[in-house]
Amino acid sequence: MTVTGVRAQARIVARPDGRGGTALPVLEGEGPLALRRTRSSGAEARVMVVGAMSGPLGGDRFGIDARVEDGARLSVGSAAATIALPGQLKGEARYDVRLDVADGAELRWLPEPLISAKGSDLHVGTRVDVRPTGRLVLREEQVLGRAGEEPGRLTSRLTVRVAGTAVLDQELASGPGAPGGWDGPAVLAGHRAVGQLVIVRPEFAHEPVAARMLGESAALTPLPGPAALVTAVAGDALLLRRLLDQALDQLGA
């Protein structure tokens, strides 16, 4: 008998409810990916991802798909950090996120950090498609190892397309077995927390942001089309969140 890891998929569909708010006709989660609707704010629906089990562990396959339809507004967060852990099964775990933002829609994707624990091996793939007048705020935070612990292996790829054109496609691999240099001065420079914000706004097409440093360890970079990227490194998750929150405030996002 072949033993496989946990398979879990979650789905969210948001659409206008006809009364100035946002309905969630699809809100489905499996196993460790439980979804809970929380108190809305104005026209925006809010969803929390609640981890019902430990993981992802070695061999697990998790996935989340979210679609925000024309005119809807959705904010998605998580109740706690996701911790990648070693499992009894060999091989990497996978966590795939697929996000689709329609014209006139807005998505705020703001999960808690992903922590790569010693001995784990996780591949995270996030793919976002935003239509020409859609709006997006996406935060991604990764912490390499728990307190006083060496990290596991973590590979993360983020792809963002706006109006069918790729504006960002990048991959970062860190930890044991990753290509050399990941911890060197050109990449993480010894820091153990790394994060980024991707902001898509139609007005950026006509008034792009200017590239600049945001303190000593964060930078703002314009992307092709109506998008911008903030990248930050820090010594720990708390400082990283502070840097990214400050960037959001400066950009009015």
Side-chain angles (χ1 to χ4, degrees):
M1 180 178 65
T2 301
V3 179
T4 61
V6 174
R7 294 331 192 231
Q9 190 74 25
R11 294 179 61 238
I12 307 170
V13 175
R15 67 172 55 124
D17 64 4
R19 303 185 302 274
T22 297
L24 299 174
V26 178
L27 191 65
E28 302 171 347
E30 299 174 338
L33 298 177
L35 303 178
R36 300 289 184 266
R37 181 165 188 167
T38 61
R39 185 181 297 274
S40 301
S41 175
E44 180 183 78
R46 294 180 174 177
V47 173
M48 297 293 288
V49 181
V50 181
M53 297 168 57
S54 297
L57 309 178
D60 289 352
R61 299 289 186 270
F62 293 179
I64 298 181
D65 293 314
R67 186 173 83 246
V68 189
E69 298 183 357
D70 190 350
R73 297 180 60 190
L74 175 66
S75 178
V76 179
S78 56
T82 297
I83 304 178
L85 296 165
Q88 294 181 344
L89 299 179
K90 300 296 183 181
E92 70 174 12
R94 291 194 61 95
Y95 201 139
D96 293 309
V97 177
R98 301 290 180 262
L99 309 175
D100 195 317
V101 185
D103 277 315
E106 180 175 344
L107 173 62
R108 296 175 64 83
W109 187 264
L110 303 170
E112 293 302 303
L114 168 64
I115 301 173
S116 175
K118 183 177 180 180
S120 64
D121 185 357
L122 176 64
H123 185 286
V124 180
T126 302
R127 188 180 69 206
V128 190
D129 282 286
V130 185
R131 301 303 184 273
T133 61
R135 303 171 74 88
L136 171 75
V137 176
L138 180 147
R139 181 180 69 211
E140 186 175 79
E141 298 170 311
Q142 298 168 359
V143 180
L144 306 184
R146 294 169 290 194
E149 176 186 68
E150 291 298 312
R153 176 164 181 170
L154 176 61
T155 303
S156 174
R157 183 170 182 177
L158 173 60
T159 305
V160 180
R161 296 169 60 89
V162 179
T165 299
V167 301
L168 179 67
D169 190 352
Q170 67 178 26
E171 182 172 287
L172 174 64
S174 57
W182 67 269
D183 203 20
V187 187
L188 298 184
H191 294 90
R192 284 296 179 265
V194 57
Q196 53 196 352
L197 294 167
V198 179
I199 301 170
V200 178
R201 293 179 176 173
E203 56 266 32
F204 283 171
H206 308 289
E207 299 177 1
V209 301
R212 63 183 186 270
M213 294 298 297
L214 303 175
E216 294 185 359
S217 59
L220 171 64
T221 306
L223 297 175
L229 171 69
V230 176
T231 304
V233 293
D236 58 45
L238 184 61
L239 180 55
L240 178 66
R241 175 63 60 84
R242 189 178 304 151
L243 289 170
L244 295 180
D245 283 349
Q246 290 172 354
L248 278 177
D249 289 341
Q250 292 183 40
L251 292 169

